[in-house]
Amino acid sequence: MSRSKTRIAATAIGLASALTASQAQAQSASSSEQEIALLKQQLKMLEQKLDKLQSQTAANTAATAKARAEAKADARSEAKAVVANANAAIPLKGPAPASGVVVTMPNNRPTICTADQANCVAITSRVHWDVGGYDYRPNTAATVPQKLDSGENVRRARIGVTGKFFNDWNFALVYDFGGSSDGFGGTAPGSLPGGGVSGVENAYLSYTGLKPFGGKMAIEAGIMDLPYTMDEATSSNDIMFMERASPGVIATNIAAGDFRSAAGTRWYTDQLWIGGYVTGPSTGAIHSASSATPAGTSEQYGAVARIAGNPVSGKDYSIHIGADAQWLIQPPRNLIANTQTVTLSDRPELRLDPTTLISTGAIANASGAQVYSVEAAATYGPLIVQGEYFWYNVDRSANTGVPLVGAPSLKFQGGYAQAGYVLTGEGRTYNAANAAYNGVKPAHPFSLEGGGWGAWEIAGRFSTIDLNNQLGTATGIAGGRQTVYTLALNWYVNGNVRFMLDYLHGTVSRQASPVSTADVGSKFNAVAMRTQFAF
């Protein structure tokens, strides 16, 4: 196309030159005007042809650009189609695999879980350190003891691990290093019945994969803290007083309580809890059948059952009721002395001194024991009230050859009532898994920078236990009657730290023996403080 334009331009230039030459000749040679007119007509025709060629050239250029654009668009479409087909041919990748473990700190408890949360292990610990003193007054010189020792006691110092395997297999292994003055312990001469000995507090496996009848079920076995009685089902981190009431402690010491070997199951919903366990000896019990020092002793076994629930509940109120039963089916038997005994006793609701003020002593020829109890509690906002009552029965029909063969069964009873009020307004939530109430969680943890002061609670309790029966007869028991009034002030600094201050006033009415009315009772006042942390 550029060549055509060049030829046209050359022709036009030639014609113009010829026209100029002709005009010059016409001027000089006087050519005719016809020739001039002819030349002008030819020039005009050439100009028209040039305009036409230029128009055609512009149209061709536009068409070429359009064709090129369409070609590029087609190429892009084809490229996109190729990429789309390639992507379709490649399998889609799933989400990037998560990290192998997830580390969290729920309530400041170090916890490691797999990414799917099916397997977890957590470190758990609690320390309860008590310090205080007694104002103890024996009624007579014949009272035993004559003095209680003030001081301190590492009541609990536990550390261990808890967790789960494959969602449904739960486990715990917890060791207690506490009890620095909780009992004289072991088999050394002078050891007292019920003396606390540090040891394995929890070592159990629990399966929770079954969920029959719309509820949850746990099948478990090992060393555990049985949720028998409401006070015992409440964690020691959450109880309102430094120690649980004596009637419940005496009951759980028979065939339940902490450090107890057991196997059983519990089923529960938000409103109902049903459980039953077969129990054995507690950790630290003698397992030898032939030892002479200490004496070989057969292992005890028993059973506990409990039904409880929360039939009435709302946003800021609830009612709890329940009933419990315990059976000591086979008491431990001393295979050297051929004795079979049961002892009911407790310290005066404080463990700074391990001495007991009420005790039945070793009840000879015990063939079994039963405890039946009822429990009730209610909450309304920051207020909680709770109480339990117990009936104890000890059968004495074992044939060991020891005196008092065939003596009648013994019956004792006791109970407590308590109330607490959180001054800062927090309430206690219900723990359906144990059929008991959780502790107080401060809405505003203590902080000098944030201005929070934690939660403050006041509480009071009355407890009584009567271990006298068949007084005035040779087969009777003069274990004494204890009554204790307790006032408490609790400061929940945050979800992990608590300080407790308790004041106790108690009386023990006791006679020297079932057939002697000589007064060997006592009175006491005590003040104690607990420093606690737990996670």
Side-chain angles (χ1 to χ4, degrees), residues 36 44 69 97 215 227 349 401 450 469 479 528:
I36 294 171
K44 185 176 182 179
E349 300 183 357
N469 190 230

Side-chain angles (χ1 to χ4, degrees), residues 202-393:
N202 270 316
Y204 69 84
L205 184 66
S206 174
Y207 179 71
T208 57
L210 300 177
K211 297 174 175 60
F213 310 111
K216 299 178 181 179
M217 175 178 283
I219 303 172
E220 45 205 1
I223 307 299
M224 64 186 72
D225 183 2
L226 295 174
Y228 163 76
T229 80
M230 187 176 188
D231 216 10
E232 185 66 25
T234 304
S235 169
S236 60
N237 291 326
D238 300 329
I239 54 179
M240 288 184 280
F241 306 91
M242 291 172 59
E243 296 296 337
R244 298 179 174 94
S246 288
V249 173
I250 291 173
T252 57
N253 281 345
I254 296 175
D258 289 358
F259 305 89
R260 182 70 62 181
S261 58
T265 184
R266 53 190 164 96
W267 174 90
Y268 61 94
T269 65
D270 290 340
Q271 287 78 37
L272 181 62
W273 190 101
I274 301 173
Y277 296 82
V278 175
T279 68
S282 58
T283 57
I286 298 170
H287 292 273
S288 172
S290 59
S291 173
T293 306
T297 304
S298 65
E299 297 183 8
Q300 73 169 60
Y301 63 90
V304 297
R306 180 178 179 229
I307 179 170
N310 184 32
V312 178
S313 63
K315 183 178 179 181
D316 60 352
Y317 65 89
S318 65
I319 296 177
H320 167 98
I321 55 174
D324 309 74
Q326 178 183 192
W327 301 271
L328 177 59
I329 300 171
Q330 175 59 58
R333 188 183 185 98
N334 185 316
L335 301 178
I336 303 300
N338 195 34
T339 58
Q340 192 164 292
T341 63
V342 169
T343 301
L344 278 60
S345 65
D346 190 36
R347 285 142 286 199
E349 300 183 357
L350 190 61
R351 302 294 181 90
L352 299 176
D353 188 303
T355 307
T356 60
L357 301 184
I358 54 170
S359 176
T360 61
I363 300 174
N365 295 318
S367 57
Q370 306 85 41
V371 182
Y372 303 101
S373 61
V374 292
E375 59 187 62
T379 62
Y380 185 74
L383 174 68
I384 181 172
V385 293
Q386 177 180 319
E388 295 182 89
Y389 204 84
F390 301 83
W391 294 269
Y392 316 83
N393 182 75

Side-chain angles (χ1 to χ4, degrees), residues 47-226:
E47 289 176 348
Q48 289 176 352
K49 287 181 179 181
L50 180 60
D51 292 339
K52 185 176 180 181
L53 286 171
Q54 288 177 342
S55 299
Q56 290 178 351
T57 300
N60 290 337
T61 301
T64 301
K66 182 178 180 181
R68 289 178 178 176
E70 290 177 351
K72 288 182 179 179
D74 291 343
R76 290 193 189 99
S77 299
E78 291 178 2
K80 289 180 179 179
V82 171
V83 171
N85 292 335
N87 288 338
I90 299 174
L92 292 176
K93 293 183 179 181
S99 174
V101 296
V102 177
V103 180
T104 58
M105 292 282 288
N107 198 32
N108 291 322
R109 174 180 290 181
T111 303
I112 302 174
C113 295
T114 54
D116 59 3
Q117 299 293 308
N119 305 275
C120 295
V121 61
I123 300 174
T124 182
S125 179
R126 72 184 65 181
V127 170
H128 298 172
W129 180 58
D130 300 345
V131 60
Y134 300 92
D135 174 22
Y136 177 73
R137 302 181 302 278
N139 289 353
T140 68
T143 299
V144 177
Q146 284 288 296
K147 182 181 179 180
L148 293 178
D149 184 42
S150 303
E152 62 85 31
N153 178 24
V154 182
R155 179 68 172 87
R156 297 177 181 89
R158 298 175 184 172
I159 189 167
V161 293
T162 64
K164 63 179 179 179
F165 302 119
F166 300 99
N167 286 316
D168 299 326
W169 294 94
N170 303 274
F171 66 89
L173 176 59
V174 179
Y175 195 89
D176 193 349
F177 295 90
S180 59
S181 70
D182 204 33
F184 297 127
T187 59
S191 298
L192 294 182
V197 180
S198 298
V200 177
E201 198 266 343
N202 270 316
Y204 69 84
L205 184 66
S206 174
Y207 179 71
T208 57
L210 300 177
K211 297 174 175 60
F213 310 111
K216 299 178 181 179
M217 175 178 283
I219 303 172
E220 45 205 1
I223 307 299
M224 64 186 72
D225 183 2
L226 295 174

